[in-house]
Amino acid sequence: MPMEEKQRFAIGKDNFGYTAMHQEVGILFFLYVSHRPVRPTFISSSLDRSTQKIGDFKESYQVGKFKNGKPVHPLPTLFEERVDELESFMKSCHTVISKILQTFAIGLEIPESEGGKNWLSDRHAYDIPSGDVLRILHYPAVESRDVDDIRAGSHTDYGSVTLLFQHNIGGLEVHAGRSRWIPAPVLPGCAIINLGDCLEYWTNGLFKSTRHRVVFRSDTQKLERYSLVYFCQGYEGVSLDPIPSSLVPHDEKEEEAGRPLTAVEHLRMKLDASYEYYANEE
Ligand SMILES: O=C(O)CCC(=O)C(=O)O
Ligand SMILES: [Fe+2]
């Protein structure tokens, strides 16, 4: 895509569009501080500037869910010519994620009277506005780099479930336990499923939002890398208070302490912390 067109579709506060090289940084919130809306400064957050001196070595384009078969925001020609393909791919990702959410609801033994196996999937219906996006990522090849440079800094995803397709070049690593990074290899025909922050909130920490990153590997840094990621998020105003399940710990005191945090508020806090340009806009 020509640079001019990329700039014309630069990402805005709606979270759709083009993000340039070094524009985004990995962001780690220490979650699970409170289910009440709190200002980001009160959340112990880390832009991890100590390990990430410049933004990610990647560029990306984010497309939102379609409405009545039409994109909800203008698209560059490259994507406009492929809207049917894009929509059908996004819908397929969403269908797979709905099934995963139903499996979780069954495992969590949510009572029928509360919504049973549909409790989570009902909160992620395709036709209700939410922060869902398909992210198309390109990690350019580099000739030489600093030891600290990273393709995508350590972070957790903001939504509920993420479906991630690495193309043919690996580099994705998942944080296992408290101190060890393990590679998530490229397996042909397979997708990676990541749990995001909202599920950690909903299960009060029983499910963990997986920390992950994309590193340069000496054998592949001179090769460009592509990946496709579908982020599924609950509808905008949905409360992130714990799920009605006896397996999920509840804190009655906190639940009575005021209005719950919503999916869209959590998304806003993370986006504001991840992108340099928000700070510049104010
Ligand atoms: O490109 C990848 O493999 C991972 C991308 C990712 O984690 C993200 O965009 O949130
Ligand atoms: Fe991610």
Side-chain angles (χ1 to χ4, degrees):
M1 204 187 292
M3 193 33 110
E4 229 176 51
E5 195 157 18
K6 289 176 177 173
Q7 279 163 355
R8 202 149 56 84
F9 288 92
I11 196 162
K13 282 214 169 197
D14 59 7
N15 201 27
F16 302 133
Y18 175 75
T19 303
M21 280 275 279
H22 308 307
Q23 196 179 347
E24 193 181 354
V25 288
I27 155 91
L28 276 177
F29 272 5
F30 293 100
L31 284 183
Y32 181 38
V33 173
S34 169
H35 285 80
R36 306 299 113 191
V38 282
R39 290 182 56 77
T41 40
F42 296 143
I43 293 183
S44 171
S45 80
S46 144
L47 285 172
D48 229 358
R49 298 267 180 210
S50 54
T51 52
Q52 197 176 354
K53 294 191 186 69
I54 57 171
D56 295 346
F57 278 70
K58 69 177 193 224
E59 55 176 355
S60 66
Y61 199 95
Q62 300 205 150
V63 181
K65 283 192 292 193
F66 285 53
K67 200 172 168 194
N68 304 325
K70 302 237 172 332
V72 291
H73 51 99
L75 290 173
T77 320
L78 180 72
F79 298 136
E80 195 61 61
E81 286 167 350
R82 293 167 177 81
V83 280
D84 293 344
E85 231 174 301
L86 269 177
E87 190 192 18
S88 109
F89 181 68
M90 290 181 74
K91 277 196 158 155
S92 305
C93 289
H94 192 275
T95 305
V96 172
I97 291 172
S98 294
K99 295 209 164 97
I100 295 167
L101 290 171
Q102 286 182 335
T103 314
F104 288 158
I106 294 168
L108 289 166
E109 299 171 4
I110 299 177
E112 277 308 312
S113 57
E114 298 280 359
K117 77 170 170 83
N118 295 320
W119 196 95
L120 281 167
S121 51
D122 281 354
R123 283 162 175 72
H124 296 80
Y126 188 85
D127 295 328
I128 310 181
S130 71
D132 283 27
V133 288
L134 174 67
R135 178 183 276 183
I136 299 148
L137 286 139
H138 173 226
Y139 299 82
V142 297
E143 276 309 315
S144 65
R145 61 177 172 92
D146 274 0
V147 63
D148 294 334
D149 291 344
I150 192 148
R151 280 188 147 160
S154 163
H155 66 280
T156 57
D157 291 343
Y158 49 73
S160 305
V161 174
T162 306
L163 214 53
L164 194 164
F165 303 84
Q166 306 193 79
H167 183 37
N168 51 358
I169 306 291
L172 179 70
E173 291 187 340
V174 176
H175 203 241
R178 290 185 187 277
S179 56
R180 210 160 55 91
W181 287 99
I182 50 171
V186 179
L187 299 175
C190 292
I192 287 164
I193 297 159
N194 264 330
L195 302 194
D197 302 341
C198 291
L199 271 179
E200 182 160 339
Y201 275 115
W202 265 320
T203 61
N204 223 346
L206 183 66
F207 291 2
K208 297 282 182 276
S209 180
T210 328
R211 216 166 123 189
H212 53 283
R213 65 183 187 182
V214 183
V215 294
F216 280 111
R217 291 199 341 215
S218 48
D219 53 335
T220 52
Q221 76 176 47
K222 291 194 179 150
L223 301 173
E224 57 183 353
R225 177 179 189 272
Y226 287 92
S227 63
L228 280 176
V229 189
Y230 187 91
F231 300 95
C232 186
Q233 164 107 351
Y235 62 78
E236 289 177 358
V238 72
S239 145
L240 297 178
D241 261 357
I243 298 178
S245 154
S246 57
L247 302 172
V248 166
H250 281 253
D251 178 346
E252 307 293 337
K253 263 206 202 116
E254 195 194 71
E255 283 168 41
E256 282 163 14
R259 183 175 74 72
L261 181 68
T262 64
V264 73
E265 284 168 342
H266 176 62
L267 175 64
R268 187 75 273 140
M269 288 194 289
K270 280 205 97 160
L271 294 179
D272 287 351
S274 306
Y275 289 98
E276 298 278 2
Y277 59 87
Y278 288 148
N280 300 339
E281 260 179 23
E282 317 243 301

